């Protein structure tokens, strides 16, 4: 055999061996690639399943916690043991879900987030349990104050859950990257052994690139764009049906993601606005509580001021009358120059105290016929001095006989709010006059117009909405007109905001009209100028003096008021007995004949005016019905369960003429009762 034949044969064997090696290498490469791909796929599927399970568990934890929060709110609104059972069961379920994470291979960061989840959930349950205990002890207000803390605890738990998922995603990505690196190294080793099949691989690679890689590249690029927040990220149409369906599915998913993102953004904006409104409402509630406390303080202060003020007024009136009766000309001049101004200032202080008492009274919540003039004049009396200081004028034109359906205190608050807004609008030289007038639109509607000559409303439609204000930050809450509208709507009325034709703002309150007061009973209100002028004249004497003088018992813990009343009663030619307490008065009544009792309502000791009149009603019922009660708050007498009509009360500080007239009428009734008893 020639060497060429052997060479050819060897070459054949080499070629055959090469072919076998190529085939073997190709087979090995194919099998290795298949095995690696399958292994990688299983790892990825396992990781994805684990991540999906963890995400599902996280969703369950959040859902159970929000369900617990809802159970807590329901229990706080209506305590029921069933809600507590649901709250605890869901808490145990949430805790079991958290424990499932501990059986996974977690990174230190992920385990830290699990601990934070548990801590946040425990804090949430502790806060809720404390609120439940407050409700069980009957302290619902304190329990409601803790409710706001539940939202913060839930948000902390939600944040911890989200952080855990992020940490797990990072761990999964790192693990998958490690597997991909190992696969690449194995593929590199396989590639070194199959260099002979590069041509086949090249052909396959070209075809794979055209048929697989380019569509995948388009999908990856679109995924990256979507992850970066580019809302227009979409996969273009593909030539092959399979990839085209993948592209359509991706585009559909991207549309849903965009819609969800827009919904979440809108909800976030709404939540931010709601939280802002809640903060403002909470601030307004705090301010309301401060004003309520201030109102109680003012009411108490007004009651305390009435006693010394009554003494000052009575003493000033007596001093003026004594000086006016003097034959000494300089003394009569002092009556005009000193005593009369002192008396007028005391009357002005009395007017302010009465307005404070009326304004500070809590709203009854009852819509009933109320005098419109009294409500307006009380509000005007409270703000008149502020208008004087600001150099503004305030004019009122209202018929004292008109009445409307309203809650008196709320109507007064509404008028005060309108006067405050008008004064604020006119500050800085933007106007100087406010007019309040009342017109009858129909038999059932009265319209109260509060009009100023300021700059007017910038936007009348928006001005009445809550929290709308054109004032500088910190100068107003934007709730004044909104509260006015709320009050008026409670009365069954309507508020209309307009700008006057010649400039300025006009707020019209359309109120339901009630039956007018009889003209003889119409009260122009506490700000009637006629009430500021005390009556003058000679000392008053009884119309028909009896042979035996009548006896009047004056009961008051203020020495100055006892002295003032004694001097006034001297004009009636009666015998006066003074008592400094209810106990002392009862001692006189048990041992001395008394025709009339005049007692202060509020006195220290166990027997005040109310207790004294209850004693009178039991032992001397006839005397109780004709005796007089002196008080600094006449409107408060209506709540007393005593047979004392309003005409038997004397308001402090009182004027001498009014006091004497009331006493004279009561003494006349006492004489009539005495004559009837004698016959």
């Amino acid at each position: 055999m020639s060497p060429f034949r052997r060479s050819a044969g060897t070459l054949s064997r080499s070629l055959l061996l090469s072919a076998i090696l190529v085939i073997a290498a190709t087979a090995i490469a194919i099998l290795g690639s298949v095995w690696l791909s399958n292994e990688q796929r299983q790892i990825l599927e396992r990781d994805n399943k684990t991540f999906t399970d963890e995400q599902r568990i996280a969703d369950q934890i959040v859902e159970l916690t929000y369900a617990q929060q809802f159970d807590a709110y329901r229990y706080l609104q209506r305590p029921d043991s069933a809600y507590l059972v649901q709250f605890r069961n869901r808490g145990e379920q949430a805790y079991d879900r958290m424990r499932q994470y501990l059986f996974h291979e977690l990174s230190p960061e992920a385990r830290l987030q699990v601990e934070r989840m548990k801590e946040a959930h425990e804090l949430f349950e502790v806060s809720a349990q404390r609120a439940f205990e407050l409700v069980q002890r009957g302290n619902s207000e304190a329990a409601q104050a803790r409710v706001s803390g539940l939202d913060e605890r839930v948000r902390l738990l939600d944040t911890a859950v989200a952080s855990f998922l992020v940490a797990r995603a990072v761990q999964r990505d790192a693990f998958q990257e490690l597997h991909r690196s190992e696969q690449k190294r194995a593929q590199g080793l396989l590639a070194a052994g199959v260099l002979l099949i590069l041509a086949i691989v090249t052909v396959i690679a070209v075809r794979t690139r055209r048929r697989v890689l380019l569509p995948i590249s388009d999908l990856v690029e679109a995924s990256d764009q979507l992850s970066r927040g580019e809302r227009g990220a979409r996969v273009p149409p593909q030539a092959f049906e399979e990839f085209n369906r993948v592209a359509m599915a991706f585009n559909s998913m991207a549309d849903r993601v965009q819609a969800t993102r827009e919904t979440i953004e809108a909800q976030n904006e709404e939540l931010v606005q709601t939280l802002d409104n809640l903060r403002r409402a909470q601030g307004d509630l705090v301010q309301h509580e401060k004003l309520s406390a201030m109102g109680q303080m003012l009411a108490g202060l007004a009651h305390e001021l009435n006693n010394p003020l009554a003494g000052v007024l009575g003493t000033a009136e007596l001093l003026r009358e004594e000086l006016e009766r003097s034959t000494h000309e300089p003394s009569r001049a002092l009556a005009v120059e000193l005593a009369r101004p002192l008396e007028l200032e005391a009357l002005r202080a009395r007017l302010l105290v009465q307005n404070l008492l009326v304004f500070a009274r809590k709203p009854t919540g009852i819509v009933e016929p109320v005098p419109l003039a009294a409500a307006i004049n009380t509000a005007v009396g409270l703000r008149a001095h502020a208008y004087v200081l600001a150099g503004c004028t305030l004019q009122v034109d209202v018929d004292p006989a008109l009445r409307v359906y309203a809650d008196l205190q709320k109507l007064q608050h509404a008028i005060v709010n309108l006067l405050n807004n008008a004064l604020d609008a006119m500050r800085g030289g933007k106007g100087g006059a406010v007019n309040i007038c009342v017109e009858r639109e129909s038999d059932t509607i009265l319209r109260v117009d509060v009009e100023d000559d300021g700059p007017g409303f910038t936007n009348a439609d928006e001005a009445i909405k809550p929290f709308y204000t054109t004032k500088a930050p910190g100068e107003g809450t934007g709730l004044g007109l909104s509260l006015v509208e709320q009050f008026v709507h409670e009365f069954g009325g309507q508020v209309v905001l307009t700008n006057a034709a010649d400039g300025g703002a006009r707020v019209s309150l359309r109120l339901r009209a009630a039956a007018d007061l009889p003209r003889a009973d119409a009260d122009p209100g506490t700000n009637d100028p006629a009430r500021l002028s005390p009556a003058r004249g000679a000392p008053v004497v009884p119309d028909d003096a009896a042979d035996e003088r009548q006896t009047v018992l004056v009961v008051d813990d203020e020495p100055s008021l006892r002295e003032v009343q004694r001097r006034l009663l001297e004009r009636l030619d009666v015998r006066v007995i003074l008592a400094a307490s209810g106990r002392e008065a009862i001692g006189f009544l048990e041992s001395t004949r008394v025709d009339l009792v005049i007692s202060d309502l509020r006195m220290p000791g166990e027997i005040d005016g109310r207790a004294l009149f209850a004693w009178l009603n039991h032992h001397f019922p006839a005397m109780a019905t004709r005796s007089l009660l002196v008080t600094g708050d006449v409107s408060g007498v209506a709540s007393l369960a005593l047979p004392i009509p309003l005409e038997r009360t004397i308001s402090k500080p009182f004027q001498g003429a009014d006091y004497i007239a009331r006493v004279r009428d009561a003494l006349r009734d006492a004489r009539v009762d005495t004559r009837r008893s004698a016959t």
Side-chain angles (χ1 to χ4, degrees):
M1 182 177 296
S2 65
F4 295 101
R5 184 68 178 177
R6 289 194 299 269
S7 297
T10 302
L11 182 58
S12 299
R13 287 193 299 272
S14 298
L15 292 175
L16 178 59
L17 181 60
S18 298
I20 294 173
L21 290 176
V22 169
I23 294 172
T26 303
I28 292 172
I30 293 174
L31 293 175
S33 298
V34 170
W35 180 82
L36 289 175
S37 297
N38 184 59
E39 184 70 13
Q40 182 67 17
R41 180 179 58 80
Q42 292 179 356
I43 293 173
L44 291 176
E45 288 178 353
R46 185 173 64 252
D47 290 345
N48 289 335
K49 184 178 182 304
T50 301
F51 184 79
T52 301
D53 291 340
E54 291 174 351
Q55 190 168 16
R56 176 178 53 80
I57 294 173
D59 293 339
Q60 292 175 351
I61 292 172
V62 174
E63 290 174 359
L64 288 170
T65 305
Y66 277 116
Q68 279 189 283
Q69 185 182 14
F70 182 65
D71 290 336
Y73 286 156
R74 291 197 295 177
Y75 180 81
L76 294 177
Q77 293 296 325
R78 183 170 63 86
D80 189 341
S81 60
Y83 297 148
L84 286 179
V85 172
Q86 291 181 4
F87 179 88
R88 295 190 178 101
N89 289 340
R90 286 171 173 154
E92 292 175 358
Q93 293 174 13
Y95 184 76
D96 290 338
R97 299 298 189 279
M98 295 179 196
R99 290 186 57 194
Q100 293 180 17
Y101 287 138
L102 301 178
F103 298 97
H104 295 178
E105 296 181 3
L106 304 179
S107 65
E109 177 62 22
R111 290 189 178 276
L112 176 61
Q113 296 304 326
V114 172
E115 294 299 323
R116 289 179 178 174
M117 277 192 284
K118 293 170 61 179
E119 181 181 1
H121 186 262
E122 290 174 357
L123 291 176
F124 164 77
E125 289 194 329
V126 169
S127 298
Q129 187 60 40
R130 290 178 179 172
F132 297 158
E133 292 173 357
L134 291 174
V135 170
Q136 293 167 0
R137 291 198 298 268
N139 196 349
S140 299
E141 293 182 358
Q144 290 295 335
R146 288 186 172 271
V147 169
S148 60
L150 298 181
D151 295 336
E152 181 62 25
R153 302 303 185 191
V154 173
R155 284 194 293 271
L156 289 176
L157 176 63
D158 202 356
T159 302
V161 171
S163 300
F164 167 78
L165 293 177
V166 171
R168 288 293 290 151
V170 172
Q171 182 181 3
R172 184 193 62 171
D173 292 341
F175 186 76
Q176 291 180 351
E177 183 63 27
L178 178 61
H179 278 279
R180 282 193 291 268
S181 298
E182 293 176 355
Q183 183 183 26
K184 288 181 180 179
R185 286 196 297 271
Q187 289 175 348
L189 293 175
L190 291 174
V194 294
L195 293 177
L196 296 177
I197 58 171
L198 286 178
I200 299 174
V201 173
T202 301
V203 172
I204 295 175
V206 171
R207 292 177 61 85
T208 301
R209 180 180 180 278
R210 188 179 74 246
R211 298 188 176 217
V212 179
L213 295 182
L214 288 179
I216 291 178
S217 177
D218 293 338
L219 182 62
V220 171
E221 179 65 23
S223 299
D224 292 340
Q225 292 176 356
L226 189 63
S227 65
R228 292 195 299 267
E230 298 181 14
R231 300 186 179 184
R234 298 294 184 274
V235 178
Q238 301 297 316
F240 297 95
E241 180 181 356
E242 294 82 3
F243 284 105
N244 195 48
R245 284 188 296 184
V246 172
M248 293 174 62
F250 178 87
N251 293 341
S252 177
M253 179 197 67
D255 292 338
R256 291 195 298 271
V257 169
Q258 180 178 351
T260 302
R261 182 177 297 170
E262 292 175 352
T263 301
I264 293 174
E265 291 176 354
Q267 291 175 347
N268 286 339
E269 292 179 0
E270 182 179 357
L271 179 60
V272 170
Q273 183 64 31
T274 301
L275 291 176
D276 187 49
N277 291 342
L278 179 60
R279 284 193 293 269
R280 293 184 181 181
Q282 289 173 339
D284 181 66
L285 180 60
V286 172
Q287 184 67 15
H288 175 75
E289 292 298 328
K290 291 181 180 178
L291 292 177
S292 177
M294 185 177 294
Q296 295 176 3
M297 180 188 68
L298 288 177
L301 179 61
H303 282 296
E304 294 300 324
L305 285 176
N306 265 329
N307 286 333
L309 188 57
V312 171
L313 178 59
T315 303
E317 186 177 6
L318 292 172
L319 178 62
R320 173 182 58 77
E321 293 178 353
E322 291 290 337
L323 291 175
E324 287 178 344
R325 289 194 297 267
S326 175
T327 58
H328 188 236
E329 182 61 30
S331 297
R332 290 198 300 274
L334 288 176
V336 177
E337 297 173 0
L338 297 180
R340 176 61 175 168
L342 177 62
E343 184 181 3
L344 292 177
E345 289 301 310
L347 286 170
R348 190 165 70 89
R350 181 185 71 169
L351 174 63
L352 178 60
V353 169
Q354 290 174 345
N355 285 339
L356 284 174
L357 282 171
V358 173
F359 189 76
R361 191 173 305 282
K362 292 183 178 180
T364 63
I366 300 175
V367 177
E368 59 186 352
V370 298
L372 184 57
I376 293 176
N377 288 330
T378 297
V380 169
L382 290 173
R383 300 304 298 154
H385 186 61
Y387 272 74
V388 172
L389 292 178
C392 300
T393 61
L394 184 56
Q395 297 181 354
V396 180
D397 181 14
V398 55
D399 186 345
L402 297 178
R403 293 195 302 173
V404 295
Y405 287 100
D407 180 319
L408 181 59
Q409 273 66 45
K410 288 186 177 181
L411 181 57
Q412 291 167 353
H413 278 281
I415 300 298
V416 168
N417 279 349
L418 295 181
L419 293 178
N420 289 338
N421 285 350
L423 183 60
D424 291 340
M426 294 186 301
R427 294 187 187 276
K430 299 178 181 179
V434 172
N435 294 322
I436 302 177
C437 61
V438 179
E439 294 186 6
R440 186 181 293 275
E441 288 191 354
S442 65
D443 293 339
T444 59
I445 298 297
L446 289 177
R447 191 183 76 245
V448 181
D449 291 332
V450 181
E451 183 174 343
D452 63 67
D453 59 354
F457 293 111
T458 303
N459 189 334
D461 294 334
E462 295 291 329
I464 205 166
K465 293 182 179 180
F467 306 114
Y468 176 87
T469 179
T470 57
K471 299 177 183 178
E475 295 185 4
T477 62
L479 291 173
L481 287 176
S482 176
L483 289 176
V484 171
E485 183 186 40
Q486 176 183 336
F487 291 160
V488 173
H489 279 185
E490 290 177 7
F491 310 154
Q494 181 183 9
V495 180
V496 180
L497 274 59
T498 56
N499 285 321
D502 53 350
R506 179 190 295 121
V507 179
S508 299
L509 309 182
R510 301 179 72 252
L511 303 172
R512 292 186 297 148
D516 291 350
L517 288 169
R519 291 294 171 179
D521 298 334
D523 185 356
T526 57
N527 297 287
D528 183 9
R531 296 196 172 196
L532 296 178
S533 301
R536 300 188 182 189
V540 182
V541 297
D543 295 337
D544 52 346
D547 294 335
E548 183 180 355
R549 291 192 302 169
Q550 293 176 292
T551 302
V552 179
L553 174 60
V554 176
V555 188
D556 200 304
D557 62 300
E558 290 285 341
S560 61
L561 287 180
R562 292 199 301 272
E563 178 62 20
V564 167
Q565 294 180 74
R566 185 189 67 79
R567 286 179 173 271
L568 290 173
L569 292 172
E570 286 178 351
R571 304 176 185 179
L572 296 176
D573 192 25
V574 297
R575 190 162 65 98
V576 181
I577 302 176
L578 302 180
S581 66
R583 177 63 67 186
E584 185 178 356
I586 291 176
F588 283 122
L589 290 168
E590 291 176 338
S591 60
T592 307
R593 183 186 63 82
V594 174
D595 298 288
L596 179 66
V597 175
I598 306 174
S599 175
D600 188 18
L601 175 62
R602 293 191 175 187
M603 295 184 295
E606 59 178 330
I607 301 180
D608 58 2
R610 177 174 180 171
L612 177 60
F613 271 80
W615 186 89
L616 278 176
N617 190 52
H618 181 71
H619 294 86
F620 302 99
M623 186 188 304
T625 58
R626 66 172 178 262
S627 293
L628 302 175
L629 184 69
V630 181
T631 175
D633 186 8
V634 176
S635 58
V637 179
S639 63
L640 298 178
L642 297 175
I644 305 176
L646 189 61
E647 59 269 16
R648 291 296 185 187
T649 61
I650 300 176
S651 177
K652 290 192 300 185
F654 48 76
Q655 295 179 259
D658 293 338
Y659 181 87
I660 291 174
R662 292 289 182 90
V663 175
R664 184 174 57 193
D665 293 341
L667 289 173
R668 184 184 298 112
D669 294 341
R671 283 195 296 272
V672 172
D673 291 342
T674 302
R675 291 169 184 170
R676 289 176 179 173
S677 300
T679 58

